[in-house]
Amino acid sequence: MSPLLPFCFLLSKLFQAALGYLTVSIEPLPPVVVGDAVTLKCNFKTDGRMREIVWYRVTDGGTIKQKIFTFDAMFSTNQSHMENYRKREDLVYQSTVRLPEVRISDNGPYECHVGIYDRATREKVVLASGNIFLNVMSPPTSISVIAADTPAPFSRYQAQNFTLVCIVSGGKPAPMVYFKRDGELIEVVPLTDPPVNVAGLHDGRASRNLFHRDMDDTKMQRSLSLLGVEDQGGRPSTEDPLKGLTLDQGLLFGPATEAIPETVVSREFPRWIQNVDPVYYFHHTHIPISDGTVEVRAMLMWTLNPQIDNDALFSCEVKHPALSMSMQSEVTLVAPKGPKIMMTPTRARVGDTVRILVQGFQNEVFPEPMFTWTRVGSRLLDGSTEHDGKELVLERVPAELNGSMYRCTAQNPLGSTDTHTRLIVFENPNIPRGTEDSNGSPPTSRITFSFLLAIILTVTLELT
């Protein structure tokens, strides 16, 4: 041992005795949750006389210190325990700062600064400090599952890639997100970047036969029969719409439209069906939010098989240290079935604007379907072959549309369905029969000719 060590130790003791002894520490805290009450505790030990205690909140990477609490002994009347500052004894003190309801903005470092008087002279102050980082956690506030790139059509002839996106917002730190299918955890292949073509990605995992799910002989026979209809010309034929204005007086007290049953269900036995367990690919991104939380977008991608995936329950589940139990959102992949169509007005007359709207389905459909309207055997009123959207609008309907039939095709990647409705057009008492044009309005040329003829006859009678 060096002979200088005892001498250095003695010098430090003499220096300490001259200046006063002071140590400061802040009790560590585990991560806290938004809304909790938190107490920061600063412990200090000294044999000198206290001058001040100051608490700071540090922001902007340490460049700014915001004073949140100050104790100045010069203005305190409670000093009986330290009247004799020359007395040699170590005293332990504690200063606390209570945050009754922490917020995300309270996250960050805090410092406790303590000052005592120099033992040699009261003109000088000895300072020491301690620091702590308050980690404030926030549980996710919302979770939802959507389908990417929808609405999208159904394809019977080729495989389609399908992506579910789970959006989790409001969490700090970022939560762990995973997917389940029918209550079972899905084994996924993680990807650093989302693939452009999921169908082109494969691995060597053993396949499990899932062909038996949602399949029976009856459905297979029905599927094959429908495929035969397709080969012979696609959609089943319907009668030609009636021409002219109806003369049946019984219709005046009957329904304004004819309910046509659902005629085609195309969610049937795709020709490209695969009898292997799909490979699921997983990709997630973290998006920082200005309030300090993180939005997580987790994507599950695979090659869709409508025959197997229809009616499959997918759930997105979240684990987070601020949650006592997992958080989840569920969706069931379902093809559209039985569109419910409403027509207004219920009794359409010549010249009216008719709106045909899809109000809903017989089942809960996911993902959102796309809608296509066509007129059976002819073009739509505006001359187009089809119209996209939930609503078909026919402006100023003419008498020639009486009895015309309209087809609505609703489809999503799980399947498609067609339903029909027939338009019945009644007389308009404000428009004499036979005087309306193709748009339901009286022709200007006929009115002008009749008016001129009436003037000529009047002038002739006056002259005679």
Side-chain angles (χ1 to χ4, degrees):
M1 184 176 64
S2 172
L4 294 177
L5 286 180
F7 178 72
C8 293
F9 180 75
L10 180 59
L11 282 179
S12 66
K13 286 296 183 180
L14 292 174
F15 184 74
Q16 176 181 311
L19 297 180
Y21 174 73
L22 176 64
T23 59
V24 179
S25 64
I26 300 181
E27 293 186 9
L29 280 174
V32 298
V33 180
V34 168
D36 287 352
V38 176
T39 301
L40 304 177
K41 298 179 180 180
C42 176
N43 300 319
F44 54 97
K45 185 178 181 181
T46 182
D47 62 351
R49 185 173 179 179
M50 186 170 61
R51 171 64 177 84
E52 64 179 358
I53 304 172
V54 182
W55 281 89
Y56 293 97
R57 181 188 169 204
V58 184
T59 58
D60 292 341
T63 58
I64 299 177
K65 292 185 178 182
Q66 178 186 358
K67 190 179 295 185
I68 60 175
F69 173 80
T70 300
F71 172 79
D72 194 331
M74 291 183 63
F75 301 98
S76 175
T77 58
N78 186 17
Q79 298 185 18
S80 60
H81 61 288
M82 299 187 70
E83 286 297 330
N84 185 7
Y85 67 91
R86 300 180 186 275
K87 187 176 180 180
R88 293 289 292 121
E89 60 177 328
D90 290 345
L91 298 176
V92 179
Y93 302 92
Q94 185 179 78
S95 173
T96 60
V97 171
R98 188 172 184 271
L99 306 176
E101 191 172 331
V102 293
R103 299 170 294 180
I104 286 289
S105 57
D106 294 325
N107 185 85
Y110 291 79
E111 294 181 356
C112 173
H113 292 245
V114 179
I116 63 171
Y117 287 111
D118 191 324
R119 292 183 61 85
T121 171
R122 297 190 60 175
E123 300 295 328
K124 296 181 180 178
V125 176
V126 179
L127 298 174
S129 64
N131 60 77
I132 187 176
F133 191 94
L134 181 62
N135 185 5
V136 181
M137 299 187 302
S138 174
T141 55
S142 67
I143 178 173
S144 61
V145 178
I146 63 174
D149 303 323
T150 56
F154 170 74
S155 175
R156 186 180 298 162
Y157 303 103
Q158 62 180 355
Q160 288 181 289
N161 298 332
F162 191 74
T163 302
L164 286 177
V165 182
C166 181
I167 304 174
V168 184
S169 303
K172 178 187 175 297
M176 183 178 72
V177 181
Y178 54 94
F179 286 91
K180 288 184 177 180
R181 173 174 175 153
D182 296 328
E184 297 182 3
L185 185 65
I186 297 177
E187 295 183 10
V188 297
V189 177
L191 300 173
T192 55
D193 296 308
V196 177
N197 183 11
V198 179
L201 300 175
H202 300 282
D203 66 2
R205 298 190 306 169
S207 299
R208 178 168 58 91
N209 195 331
L210 296 179
F211 190 74
H212 66 281
R213 287 189 51 185
D214 196 27
M215 178 79 70
D216 55 32
D217 294 337
T218 303
K219 179 175 256 187
M220 187 176 296
Q221 291 173 5
R222 184 182 178 195
S223 304
L224 294 176
S225 66
L226 282 177
L227 290 178
V229 170
E230 272 195 350
D231 294 336
Q232 296 171 7
R235 302 182 184 275
S237 61
T238 57
E239 59 178 321
D240 293 334
L242 300 177
K243 299 294 183 180
L245 191 65
T246 179
L247 300 178
D248 188 355
Q249 297 300 318
L251 290 177
L252 294 176
F253 304 98
T257 60
E258 180 182 350
I260 308 297
E262 190 178 9
T263 55
V264 179
V265 177
S266 300
R267 186 186 57 79
E268 302 291 341
F269 193 52
R271 298 179 179 182
W272 50 265
I273 189 167
Q274 304 170 358
N275 61 343
V276 296
D277 188 3
V279 179
Y280 295 95
Y281 299 92
F282 180 82
H283 173 74
H284 71 277
T285 57
H286 292 175
I287 304 173
I289 308 300
S290 59
D291 62 359
T293 60
V294 178
E295 180 181 280
V296 178
R297 290 178 176 254
M299 291 175 282
L300 182 71
M301 298 153 282
W302 76 99
T303 301
L304 189 70
N305 190 329
Q307 199 66 22
I308 295 176
D309 292 331
N310 191 65
D311 293 328
L313 174 65
F314 286 83
S315 62
C316 170
E317 300 195 7
V318 170
K319 286 187 177 180
H320 192 273
L323 293 173
S324 58
M325 58 186 299
S326 61
M327 188 177 182
Q328 71 172 12
S329 178
E330 297 178 340
V331 294
T332 301
L333 304 188
V334 181
K337 182 179 180 181
K340 300 176 183 178
I341 293 181
M342 181 186 71
M343 183 180 294
T344 55
T346 55
R347 291 173 53 83
R349 300 185 302 179
V350 173
D352 287 348
T353 295
V354 177
R355 300 178 182 273
I356 311 175
L357 174 67
V358 179
Q359 281 191 311
F361 297 89
Q362 295 177 1
N363 58 344
E364 298 249 345
V365 180
F366 184 87
E368 178 187 359
M370 60 186 301
F371 302 89
T372 305
W373 293 90
T374 55
R375 180 181 173 187
V376 178
S378 183
R379 291 178 175 270
L380 296 173
L381 184 58
D382 61 0
S384 61
T385 57
E386 62 183 32
H387 171 76
D388 295 328
K390 270 191 174 183
E391 186 179 49
L392 174 66
V393 179
L394 306 174
E395 295 185 353
R396 302 171 62 188
V397 292
E400 286 77 5
L401 287 187
N402 179 57
S404 57
M405 185 178 291
Y406 296 88
R407 177 192 298 116
C408 176
T409 301
Q411 58 182 321
N412 68 6
L414 280 301
S416 68
T417 181
D418 290 356
T419 192
H420 298 74
T421 187
R422 192 186 301 277
L423 174 63
I424 306 299
V425 182
F426 295 92
E427 290 186 16
N428 191 335
N430 298 323
I431 303 177
R433 289 185 55 189
T435 61
E436 66 276 356
D437 60 13
S438 60
N439 291 325
S441 302
T444 306
S445 60
R446 292 185 182 180
I447 295 175
T448 305
F449 177 76
S450 300
F451 180 71
L452 291 176
L453 181 60
I455 293 176
I456 293 173
L457 289 175
T458 303
V459 172
T460 303
L461 289 174
E462 290 180 352
L463 292 175
T464 58

